[in-house]
Amino acid sequence: KISLSLINQLLEIEKMESGVITLALDAINSQTIYNKAYESIAALADNRKVKIAYTGTNVEFVGDLDRLVQVQINLLANALNYTEQGTKITVRSELRQELNGASSVRISVTDQGNGIAADKLGQVFDRFRQLDPSDKKAKAGSGLGLAICKAIVEAHNGTIGVTSSVGIGSTFWYQIPID
């Protein structure tokens, strides 16, 4: 049985990857992205007894607020899914200056979860990939969330990535050019 939610996610990612979806670009900032995402995820964090903290610089840039909030919610939900009770998730926003003079905003979500094995890092943004479906603590999903995040970030001409250490945790980040 295929759920309507799964069908909608598939349609959404197909549209994004084919360039059919246009972004509603406007002046936004990283603090607003965090605040809106946190509103959606706060009850879940409280239930899991996980503290979510925001740190860094409030960076202003042009982007699609709703789409980037969707990215942020997904990254936070994944972090909550793989994090033990009583731990902390940190969201960090920073202004980055590249060697070529270009500026970008980088927003990262760091958890204290299980971490991801090095040989799996290259697959986490692929469709229908889940980090470890055998992990009984983690709730099964469609395996499309991170692929959708990647499509949204790339539609903003940005990049998305992850660093991780098994047993220590993971940092998922995305970076959007400001210029």
Side-chain angles (χ1 to χ4, degrees):
K1 178 182 165 187
I2 297 178
S3 74
L4 185 59
S5 172
L6 178 60
I7 292 169
N8 286 336
Q9 287 178 329
L10 279 168
L11 289 171
E12 183 175 21
I13 198 167
E14 285 293 332
K15 287 179 188 173
M16 282 182 207
E17 289 178 350
S18 67
V20 172
I21 292 199
T22 55
L23 298 176
L25 298 176
D26 204 354
I28 61 174
N29 65 67
S30 53
Q31 178 78 51
T32 301
I33 293 169
Y34 169 77
N35 290 345
K36 287 185 172 290
Y38 181 77
E39 285 173 24
S40 295
I41 212 92
L44 182 58
D46 288 345
N47 284 350
R48 298 284 319 268
K49 295 177 178 42
V50 173
K51 180 177 176 2
I52 299 176
Y54 178 83
T55 184
T57 310
N58 182 22
V59 181
E60 296 194 9
F61 62 104
V62 173
D64 184 322
L65 180 62
D66 291 339
R67 294 281 184 190
L68 291 174
V69 167
Q70 182 181 358
V71 169
Q72 195 69 48
I73 289 170
N74 191 286
L75 295 181
L76 283 169
N78 282 352
L80 280 168
N81 217 11
Y82 289 93
T83 298
E84 297 290 328
Q85 283 193 357
T87 59
K88 180 172 140 185
I89 294 170
T90 303
V91 177
R92 178 172 184 76
S93 169
E94 59 186 313
L95 177 64
R96 296 180 65 108
Q97 300 292 332
E98 308 304 323
L99 292 175
N100 64 5
S103 300
S104 59
V105 57
R106 179 180 276 211
I107 300 173
S108 60
V109 176
T110 302
D111 66 46
Q112 297 172 318
N114 308 333
I116 305 164
D119 64 331
K120 303 278 190 231
L121 284 175
Q123 303 168 4
V124 297
F125 296 102
D126 294 347
R127 291 184 194 193
F128 306 114
R129 292 286 182 172
Q130 290 198 270
L131 301 181
D132 185 1
S134 65
D135 185 345
K136 302 297 182 243
K137 294 180 296 274
K139 193 177 76 187
S142 66
L144 289 172
L146 290 173
I148 290 171
C149 289
K150 182 178 185 215
I152 291 170
V153 170
E154 288 178 350
H156 283 84
N157 296 315
T159 54
I160 190 167
V162 59
T163 57
S164 189
S165 297
V166 173
I168 295 173
S170 301
T171 298
F172 282 83
W173 57 266
Y174 59 100
Q175 196 162 314
I176 308 288
I178 290 178
D179 307 327

